[in-house]
Amino acid sequence: DDVYSVEEALLRHSDLKLVDRTDYIKTPNYNGYRSLHLDLEVPIYLYEKTEYITAEVQIRSVAMDFWASLEHDLRYKSTSQIPAELPSELLQCADEIAEIDRRMQGIYNRIKDV
């Protein structure tokens, strides 16, 4: 829920313009990655004018951020061959992280309502 709250807060800024939105939480990526990607036009205030640049904002849970950092390092920074079983293990971890995120959100919601 926090991911979507952050999205709402960002989009309330009148000087940010949403260009594209990809929801990998509702529709996870093939490797299990879950995140909300927003392509935003962001103003750059120069002396005589304002220009807009496009920036990609990725909003995800702390747990998924840890997973994504490790997966990125393995996929793009590793100099050795990735073992064949690793992608399926990473997918399983991503699914487990998503389940823990859902459970933690449920616990938070129960505490909040007390």
Side-chain angles (χ1 to χ4, degrees):
D1 292 350
D2 291 342
V3 167
Y4 299 111
S5 295
V6 170
E7 174 191 26
E8 287 177 24
L10 278 172
L11 296 180
R12 278 197 304 267
H13 288 259
S14 60
D15 59 348
L16 298 179
K17 299 174 186 174
L18 181 64
V19 175
D20 190 38
R21 179 183 191 273
T22 306
D23 191 339
Y24 291 115
I25 296 170
K26 290 192 172 121
T27 308
N29 204 345
Y30 70 93
N31 60 359
Y33 174 69
R34 291 165 173 84
S35 177
L36 181 63
H37 289 209
L38 305 174
D39 289 341
L40 303 172
E41 284 190 349
V42 179
I44 303 296
Y45 299 101
L46 304 172
Y47 180 70
E48 295 180 358
K49 62 182 177 178
T50 301
E51 290 186 10
Y52 282 83
I53 62 159
T54 301
E56 181 184 43
V57 177
Q58 298 179 15
I59 310 168
R60 55 185 173 236
S61 71
V62 171
M64 186 53 65
D65 186 62
F66 173 68
W67 180 95
S69 295
L70 177 61
E71 196 270 348
H72 180 269
D73 285 351
L74 287 172
R75 189 169 304 274
Y76 300 108
K77 294 186 178 179
S78 178
T79 57
S80 58
Q81 183 69 24
I82 296 174
E85 72 279 358
L86 212 53
S88 64
E89 190 171 349
L90 282 167
L91 176 60
Q92 181 181 356
C93 287
D95 291 342
E96 291 171 6
I97 288 169
E99 178 57 29
I100 290 170
D101 278 340
R102 283 190 288 277
R103 287 175 55 199
M104 294 299 289
Q105 184 69 54
I107 291 168
Y108 171 79
N109 289 341
R110 290 195 332 248
I111 292 170
K112 183 178 72 171
D113 294 339
V114 171

